[in-house]
Amino acid sequence: MSASGNKDFRDQLGKFRLDSGPSLPTSWHPPSQSEPSSDAHLARTKRVSTACDFCRKRKKKCDFRYPNCSACTRAGVRCTIPPPGPQVASASVPRDQLENLQKRVQWLEEVVQRKSGIAVADLPTGAPVDGESDPDWWYQVPAMIATGGGRPSATSMSSPAGSGGSSATAGPTGSEASTAVGTELPNVGEIFRDQLEHRRPSVARPKSAPRVLRLSSLEEAERVAGQYFDSMGYQYPFMSRLEFMGHLRHVYTGGVPSPEVHNAYHIILAISLLIGSADATQAAEFYHASQETLPLALQNEDLPAVRALLGLALYTLFATAGPSVWHVLGATMRLATSLGLHKARSSSNLAEEEMAKRAFWSLYNLDRLIASTLGRPLGIADEDISVDLPRELNDDGLEAPGSSAMTIPLQVVRLRRIFSRIYRYLYSSLPRPTPQEAAAMLSHFRREVDDWRMAAPVYPSALLYSTSYYDYLYYTTLLLMYRPSPRNPTPDVTSIVSCGDSSIQVIRSYWDSYSVGKLKWIWLTLSQVYFAGITILWCLEQNARSLRESQPAPWHPDEQMMRRGIQAVVVLLEEFGKRRPGVDRLAETFRHQSTIIFSQMAYQQQQLEAQQQRQQQPPPQPPLVPLQSVSLAAPPPPPVPLAPILDDVLLEDGSGAVPMIDPQMAEQLFYSYNWFQEEMASYYTL
């Protein structure tokens, strides 16, 4: 260390104090003559000796070398200095320890200011920096950290005693800061993040991102992005179309996007390419490019991180590779609730407030859909949600109820809230209600769902999309409500009829999409098609059971429409088998079981017609036979063979065998929902 450096260090060391109280006010005066002489002597002291203990004992001049002076180095002892004031213990400390403590205090002050925006270095010790009397202030901490907000203005903070309020004006101004992190209470989230998970603190993301993939032209990119916003964007509007298109043009004019923009650009195009093209290679390239900036997009607990996880969840919904959509949605829900997105909060920025609402309700819709399909718990209870629904704002910021891009997703959210109550009532471990109570609740839910469908507005820009999507959601909700469930295991006649009719309509929706080449070959489609198909078989089995018991059949479907529905399920399952290995076995099983059900129906119809003919004819006279020729044992009943083929496309067997009819086959098939959910979840790593 140079001589000038030594002098600077001595000057700093001489001025260094380990004061525990607030700094002296500007109006402080030296003690009067009436005060004790010791205090007066301390007040007159202008300089603290910095000679080391070894030199002081030998009464030699110390050259203040750092970290050991020359005398201590020659003597081979550790160079220590006396404490800098009477407030601390009298034990000597190493010369370098004070500088290390000083550097560490400075480092801690910088960490606090970087993470919370509080300039603690400018505040006196003991100054209050918490949220005072606001009980909900802690909910604002994650958002404040994420947006870089600072502490409250100086006028909202009480001045420390004796400071005259002058020191409370230090730090960011009121225009720069509105909230603060309390230092008197521990932030448990920060403790777990830094000490246990070793995650990076909330800091500004880099200004640039790595490589950017581009399509052939800007027009092509806008077309592909438009396909996303015209389909998935209507269902899950967590991304602003106007803002995204602006970033898209910036990228294609040579601009370098930030990490969060880079991630959103690549994942949205990857989703659009995946659902709109038979070749998934290009979609996979955009997906892998998005993963390069995913850690940066997720490094802070903020709204861009929620959007990044939602984009990842949508991609894994359509792709066979990637992380589990169940796990991704779980992490997204934890992050959203930690940010308080499920709570009603006022914000000065209307655009940010609306985008936060759209992100949360998009997550809500996805959570309800995935949980009910897999038979798993909901991610958040409706009672814990107090945030309002988004407003129906156009891209120009004007509110247009019933005629904006938010018309469809808002209507979907309203249905999902009814859907949640149905799911929680029927699919839980609570004691079973009485049949009368279950029937009353189902009737109440049916009125709610019917009112929802009657009041569903149509967005003119997506007329056909909105009406067909509403119908699909309506009938899938009826299926969830009327099919056998843990709390309603024996449905009545109304449930059987509603299950059968709804299943046919669900299959029809998927068949219409398949006919125009717009069917999404994802596990959700496979699940709904399979469930609807086996529900029709279950309803037909209920008809057969009633006939066996000499009761009228509860369900009277249109014969041609019902058979076309079964045929559509067989075709769709076979097409799935060509795209997803393992589904071909499911398609063959369903085809065989359909054959048995229809054969059973035909056999019963033949038996009924024969019985009617016998009733119309006079009974034949029994022939007279000798008594000794009468057998006492009745002959065994003949096996029930397959009836004549009713539909060559569906019921052709070709094996030549004569299978026996299992009356409980459809019942077991219908209750194989749980088996299919587990198989599907394991195969698709859900």
Side-chain angles (χ1 to χ4, degrees), residues 364-596:
Y364 178 90
N365 283 343
L366 276 172
D367 172 75
R368 267 45 185 172
L369 174 63
I370 302 303
S372 61
T373 304
L374 296 177
R376 294 176 179 175
L378 302 177
I380 185 174
D382 288 82
E383 293 80 6
D384 296 331
I385 301 173
S386 61
V387 64
D388 297 330
L389 296 180
R391 297 168 59 180
E392 296 190 51
L393 299 176
N394 285 322
D395 291 337
D396 56 5
L398 298 178
E399 194 166 7
S403 59
S404 71
M406 287 299 298
T407 297
I408 296 177
L410 279 180
Q411 190 66 12
V412 174
V413 170
R414 296 186 182 101
L415 179 64
R416 292 300 185 196
R417 304 208 76 169
I418 305 174
F419 186 94
S420 297
R421 295 197 296 273
I422 297 173
Y423 187 75
R424 293 180 60 186
Y425 178 78
L426 294 174
Y427 298 86
S428 68
S429 59
L430 296 176
R432 292 180 183 176
T434 62
Q436 295 77 13
E437 179 186 348
M441 284 302 300
L442 290 179
S443 178
H444 171 73
F445 287 140
R446 180 62 182 265
R447 287 195 299 271
E448 284 193 85
V449 177
D450 288 345
D451 292 342
W452 171 87
R453 185 62 189 89
M454 295 297 295
V458 176
Y459 181 41
S461 301
L463 177 62
L464 297 178
Y465 175 84
S466 60
T467 54
S468 61
Y469 189 47
Y470 290 156
D471 291 337
Y472 165 77
L473 293 176
Y474 173 78
Y475 289 115
T476 53
T477 304
L478 293 185
L479 270 181
L480 176 85
M481 182 168 60
Y482 284 118
R483 75 189 190 198
S485 57
R487 301 194 70 208
N488 187 30
T490 55
D492 55 9
V493 174
T494 302
S495 298
I496 296 173
V497 174
S498 300
C499 278
D501 294 341
S502 300
S503 298
I504 293 176
Q505 294 300 327
V506 169
I507 295 171
R508 182 178 179 180
S509 299
Y510 281 114
W511 185 259
D512 290 343
S513 299
Y514 171 74
S515 302
V516 296
K518 293 185 177 181
L519 185 67
K520 301 178 179 66
W521 302 99
I522 61 177
W523 64 272
L524 280 174
T525 303
L526 173 63
S527 172
Q528 295 292 351
V529 169
Y530 177 79
F531 285 173
I534 63 175
T535 301
I536 292 180
L537 299 184
W538 176 78
C539 293
L540 294 176
E541 170 60 25
Q542 300 305 308
N543 283 354
R545 173 179 293 183
S546 298
L547 293 176
R548 289 194 299 269
E549 298 173 354
S550 301
Q551 299 291 333
W555 186 39
H556 302 280
D558 181 88
E559 188 77 13
Q560 184 179 11
M561 184 176 295
M562 181 266 295
R563 292 182 178 277
R564 287 181 177 177
I566 293 293
Q567 182 176 357
V569 173
V570 173
V571 173
L572 292 177
L573 291 179
E574 290 178 348
E575 290 296 322
F576 259 106
K578 298 176 182 178
R579 294 169 171 81
R580 299 287 187 268
V583 184
D584 50 352
R585 176 178 58 86
L586 185 67
E588 182 61 29
T589 303
F590 183 84
R591 182 186 180 92
H592 178 70
Q593 293 165 342
S594 302
T595 301
I596 295 180

Side-chain angles (χ1 to χ4, degrees), residues 218 221-222 225 243-252 265 269:
L218 173 60
E222 290 178 336
E243 181 182 3
F244 182 86
M245 289 301 183
H247 292 316
L248 184 72
R249 288 186 288 270
H250 175 70
V251 169
Y252 278 80
Y265 160 76
L269 290 190

Side-chain angles (χ1 to χ4, degrees), residues 55 66 111 138 298 322 358 366 379 459 480 542 578 606 609:
C55 293
Y66 182 83
V111 169
W138 285 101
L298 299 180
R358 295 184 183 188
L366 276 172
Y459 181 41
L480 176 85
Q542 300 305 308
K578 298 176 182 178
Q606 286 182 346
E609 293 175 356

